[in-house]
Amino acid sequence: MTDTTTAPVNAGIAHGLYTEGEPIADTKAPAGPIAGKWTQRQFDAALVNPANRRKLDVIIVGTGLAGGSAAATLGEAGYNVKVFCFQDSPRRAHSIAAQGGINAAKNYKEDGDSVYRLFYDTVKGGDYRSRETNVYRLAEVSANIIDQCVAQGVPFAREYGGLLDNRSFGGVQVSRTFYARGQTGQQLLIGAYQALERQVAAGTVEQFTRHEMLEVVVVDGRARGIIVRDLVTGEIETHLADAVVLGSGGYGNVFFLSTNAMGSNVTATWRAHRKGAYMANPCYTQIHPTCIPVSGEHQSKLTLMSESLRNDGRIWVPKNREDCDKDPRQIPEEDRDYYLERIYPSFGNLVPRDIASRQAKNVCDEGRGVGPLVGDFRRGVYLDFADAISRMGKAAVEAKYGNLFDMYARITGENPYEVPMRIYPAVHYVMGGLWVDYDLQSSIRGLFVIGEANFSDHGANRLGASALMQGLADGYFVLPNTIRDYLAKGPFDKLSADHPDVVAARESVESRTARLLEVNGERSVDSFHRELGNIMWEYCGMERSEEGLLKAIDLIRGLREEFWRNVRVLGAADTLNQSLEKAGRVADFLELGELMCIDALHRRESCGGHFRAESQTEDGEALRHDDEFLYVAAWEFGGGEALGEMRQPVLHKEDLVYEAIELKQRSYK
């Protein structure tokens, strides 16, 4: 259908949901041709001599690829670094779950790849809603990442002659993805972890495991430290520094069912948001097309199957509904609908994730889904390797994907070498996050944000194998070159723990913790989280509408009010208490969920993973409105005194300017 939107552009304002503030802009990217901006910025950024680095303290929250690599690099540069994670080891960061690979513009296949093409593919894949300057820099430094990781001993797959191998991923027509079977994230994280532990041993980095950040300390408009809780003892601790870096990952668990580890949360970035850091494009969430389908109401998370499987697997459903409960091996070729190959002949099964996910939903909504009934609905499509096994041989398929096939077999009890896999879309990554400038500095001075925790590189949809690329680019190469410009102004006046702003931050954590334990209601934390996730998936998931989003906002507000009145948190504050941990995280999800829906409501266009039912082309593709929405939506916290209270957020717009790429309606046909 065509665009039939009739509601006013300021629908959110009309409903009293937000106000508009002053526009903002990134002032850190140098002028001039895009290919020279990063070189120029590195030269312009002030230097810190080695003797002065020893006087400067940096706190890093998160030990995934972004946080771990940043801590290792800054420690090796000579700064005093404190790094925090809530896991029992940095090696358990959720980066370990990434499977498919990491992109880099090496052009080893001689198939036309280049820095510019990687830049172009990323901007196009993000549906022209990312900041051009940041994406070009990402493409520029991508090749350095591979060299760094090879030097660390990361066991990338190699061709027969010994050269590093590549494979292709969705949204591109070249092979630029470096991989280590289906364990790329794990192997890259081990490399970063080894570099980090080397600095821990050298004494430049102090490591705090089983510590969760619960507040950022802001003094005179600058981030000067964090308040954390020791998750083993329950002790509230204060840690102060000259700058703070957040590398705490994304917030996909707001949907309850996602591919994220159950501990992944928004608390670090949301606490910063409440202190003044703008949250940018929070409605941009990624629905990954190749996940093991939901099997029932008992599940608490979903399992990702690497997108690399789309290289050789073919996606299809039966043409006829009456065949959906048949053994797929008994369905003849002429009765199979290879729908991605049919609709998008140029890219076929390698269309971007948002398009592949939406088309899987469409065929299942038509009643052609496969697998067991969950309720009255079959949520699954086939990912079939029969052709690949026939063409390459089982041994070759096993060499490329064997551990993924084994994982699928263990979870489902089915042999994917003999029976096609069943997959269905699930919440995976988030493109939204805290707003940052070209230096990766947030709207709070001295607070830097890296990796998935910031918004800057992926627009409205992330291409496969780009998450690992961004995390390591930010940590190894970008942040160390930009944070020095800020730290060169230091060291700043030393703070004491009895400074009024530090005391206030600590007291806010203590009072919030006490309040969670005092409610003593009747509902479990998980029940609230699951209900919130159902609301988010139903009304702010793969398809959104004005009517549904307004309903979701009302439902979330009611649920949040009930949470603070009726949640049951067992145990005490001064001990190991996982119920308390989860309660604090869900409380933040209940606030974030409302902002995500407000952001989705105000953006009356479809772009990437944000699909508004009112804005689509005649053949059901996403329809952008560049004349109205060519901007980053950066939200300022509107305030709120009571726990759970959220006043109207303030929308600041950063206009997106494209000089090196022509704006086009996306097409993969």
Side-chain angles (χ1 to χ4, degrees):
M1 72 185 231
T2 56
D3 179 15
T4 58
T5 45
T6 56
V9 171
N10 60 346
I13 294 179
H15 287 92
L17 295 173
Y18 70 91
T19 59
E20 283 205 29
E22 293 297 315
I24 59 173
D26 168 34
T27 60
K28 298 290 180 63
I34 196 167
K37 289 181 184 291
W38 178 227
T39 301
Q40 187 64 48
R41 182 58 189 145
Q42 291 178 84
F43 178 78
D44 291 342
L47 299 176
V48 183
N49 81 57
N52 285 341
R53 293 175 204 164
R54 294 191 290 270
K55 304 173 185 176
L56 290 162
D57 302 321
V58 179
I59 284 173
I60 298 177
V61 180
T63 58
L65 286 181
S69 61
T73 307
L74 293 178
E76 189 162 3
Y79 299 101
N80 302 311
V81 178
K82 288 183 177 181
V83 64
F84 296 80
C85 67
F86 63 75
Q87 298 92 346
D88 61 358
S89 166
R91 282 189 60 180
R92 294 190 185 274
H94 191 52
S95 300
I96 201 171
Q99 299 167 342
I102 177 170
N103 288 330
K106 287 283 198 179
N107 195 30
Y108 281 174
K109 295 290 187 181
E110 294 291 341
D111 54 1
D113 201 11
S114 64
V115 167
Y116 186 88
R117 190 174 297 280
L118 174 53
F119 160 61
Y120 174 83
D121 286 344
T122 305
V123 173
K124 177 185 176 183
D127 217 351
Y128 302 92
R129 290 296 178 263
S130 52
R131 186 190 288 151
E132 194 179 60
T133 51
N134 288 62
V135 179
Y136 193 91
R137 175 177 63 191
L138 176 66
E140 270 189 287
V141 304
S142 65
N144 297 341
I145 299 170
I146 304 304
D147 297 339
Q148 169 94 358
C149 293
V150 169
Q152 289 174 338
V154 173
F156 287 119
R158 294 180 180 268
E159 295 179 328
Y160 178 76
L163 298 177
L164 298 183
D165 196 13
N166 292 127
R167 56 191 180 198
S168 54
F169 256 64
V172 304
Q173 293 176 306
V174 298
S175 296
R176 65 163 65 102
T177 303
F178 295 78
Y179 65 98
R181 296 188 75 190
Q183 305 170 348
T184 314
Q186 177 179 347
Q187 298 300 333
L188 292 173
L189 185 62
I190 289 172
Y193 170 74
Q194 291 173 327
L196 171 60
E197 292 304 311
R198 179 173 178 268
Q199 296 308 311
V200 171
T204 63
V205 176
E206 188 176 2
Q207 182 174 280
F208 296 83
T209 60
R210 302 297 284 136
H211 282 68
E212 182 167 27
M213 173 190 152
L214 297 179
E215 188 61 278
V216 60
V217 175
V218 178
V219 179
D220 297 330
R222 296 179 184 270
R224 294 301 309 273
I226 60 175
I227 310 297
V228 300
R229 180 173 180 268
D230 184 323
L231 298 181
V232 177
T233 67
E235 181 181 358
I236 305 297
E237 301 175 4
T238 300
H239 295 268
L240 302 174
D242 296 295
V244 176
V245 180
L246 299 184
S248 52
Y251 49 81
N253 270 352
V254 69
F255 289 88
F256 187 71
L257 282 178
S258 78
T259 67
N260 287 215
M262 287 305 294
S264 299
N265 64 82
V266 75
T267 290
T269 53
W270 192 254
R271 297 289 101 198
H273 173 60
R274 290 182 66 99
K275 278 295 186 72
Y278 295 168
M279 180 67 82
N281 300 334
C283 79
Y284 287 167
T285 54
Q286 175 138 86
I287 312 296
H288 197 293
T290 54
C291 300
I292 296 178
V294 175
S295 59
E297 293 296 322
H298 61 283
Q299 286 178 259
S300 59
K301 82 174 297 293
L302 298 172
T303 302
L304 169 71
M305 298 305 296
S306 170
E307 186 180 11
S308 63
L309 295 168
R310 290 202 280 153
N311 273 294
D312 293 300
R314 300 181 70 192
I315 296 171
W316 64 277
V317 293
K319 290 181 179 178
N320 306 307
R321 295 186 184 188
E322 54 269 24
D323 290 340
C324 290
D325 58 355
K326 290 183 179 179
D327 184 323
R329 293 167 293 184
Q330 304 304 316
I331 301 175
E333 190 74 13
E334 61 269 18
D335 290 335
R336 301 180 179 190
D337 180 12
Y338 296 91
Y339 57 90
L340 292 178
E341 299 173 31
R342 171 174 55 82
I343 301 172
Y344 308 101
S346 291
F347 281 74
N349 296 301
L350 292 177
V351 293
R353 291 174 172 180
D354 59 314
I355 291 175
S357 296
R358 201 155 49 244
Q359 292 298 346
K361 177 181 184 296
N362 289 343
V363 295
C364 290
D365 287 350
E366 293 171 4
R368 295 193 288 140
V370 299
L373 286 169
V374 178
D376 58 353
F377 197 70
R378 298 184 192 273
R379 296 175 174 87
V381 300
Y382 289 126
L383 179 59
D384 195 338
F385 279 82
D387 284 357
I389 292 172
S390 175
R391 182 180 74 253
M392 302 162 56
K394 181 180 177 181
V397 172
E398 186 174 9
K400 293 178 73 173
Y401 309 113
N403 60 315
L404 299 173
F405 278 42
D406 291 345
M407 180 172 68
Y408 180 88
R410 286 195 301 271
I411 292 173
T412 65
E414 300 173 1
N415 184 348
Y417 292 103
E418 298 177 359
V419 181
M421 289 183 180
R422 287 179 293 106
I423 57 169
Y424 193 71
V427 173
H428 179 50
Y429 188 90
V430 293
M431 287 73 66
L434 293 182
W435 183 90
V436 293
D437 61 18
Y438 191 67
D439 282 359
L440 303 183
Q441 186 172 207
S442 74
S443 49
I444 298 175
R445 288 178 295 166
L447 180 68
F448 293 78
V449 191
I450 56 179
E452 190 180 0
N454 77 35
F455 88 100
S456 64
D457 290 1
H458 305 296
N461 174 63
R462 179 178 68 81
L463 293 182
S466 290
L468 304 184
M469 176 174 61
Q470 185 202 354
L472 291 181
D474 285 356
Y476 280 138
F477 300 107
V478 180
L479 179 76
N481 279 293
T482 59
I483 197 172
R484 59 182 167 85
D485 188 62
Y486 178 80
L487 292 173
K489 302 174 180 65
F492 304 102
D493 294 338
K494 292 298 181 183
L495 287 179
S496 64
D498 60 359
H499 186 285
D501 291 334
V502 179
V503 172
R506 183 186 182 102
E507 288 178 345
S508 71
V509 170
E510 293 171 340
S511 63
R512 187 168 184 262
T513 301
R515 177 65 182 125
L516 286 168
L517 291 165
E518 290 168 359
V519 176
N520 197 27
E522 298 178 349
R523 286 188 61 178
S524 69
V525 175
D526 283 341
S527 73
F528 282 101
H529 194 182
R530 187 181 290 275
E531 185 173 344
L532 172 65
N534 288 338
I535 294 168
M536 295 299 297
W537 178 253
E538 183 68 27
Y539 302 112
C540 197
M542 276 200 277
E543 184 174 307
R544 298 99 183 257
S545 68
E546 180 173 330
E547 179 183 9
L549 290 165
L550 289 170
K551 181 177 181 179
I553 292 166
D554 285 341
L555 290 172
I556 292 169
R557 287 177 171 177
L559 188 64
R560 189 167 66 242
E561 185 277 330
E562 184 186 356
F563 176 89
W564 287 104
R565 174 174 49 82
N566 196 32
V567 71
R568 181 177 70 252
V569 182
L570 303 175
D574 58 350
T575 185
L576 174 68
N577 188 340
Q578 291 186 312
S579 180
L580 177 60
E581 293 173 35
K582 289 192 288 186
R585 297 165 187 169
V586 172
D588 289 329
F589 281 141
L590 284 164
E591 296 183 5
L592 167 69
E594 179 178 330
L595 183 62
M596 290 173 66
C597 291
I598 292 173
D599 186 38
L601 177 68
H602 108 276
R603 190 170 286 277
R604 290 178 52 255
E605 66 166 350
S606 294
C607 54
H610 169 63
F611 190 80
R612 281 290 295 266
E614 303 94 335
S615 185
Q616 51 185 299
T617 63
E618 291 184 356
D619 53 356
E621 302 290 349
L623 180 63
R624 295 197 324 266
H625 298 293
D626 295 334
D627 55 334
E628 297 181 60
F629 297 105
L630 191 61
Y631 59 77
V632 175
W635 296 92
E636 178 184 359
F637 184 67
E641 299 299 326
L643 289 171
E645 180 186 0
M646 289 178 62
R647 297 173 186 164
Q648 290 180 338
V650 181
L651 172 62
H652 300 274
K653 299 177 181 178
E654 178 201 340
D655 289 337
L656 290 171
V657 179
Y658 289 99
E659 298 175 344
I661 286 182
E662 178 186 358
L663 278 167
K664 297 178 181 178
Q665 192 68 29
R666 237 183 4 159
S667 175
Y668 291 91
K669 295 186 175 182

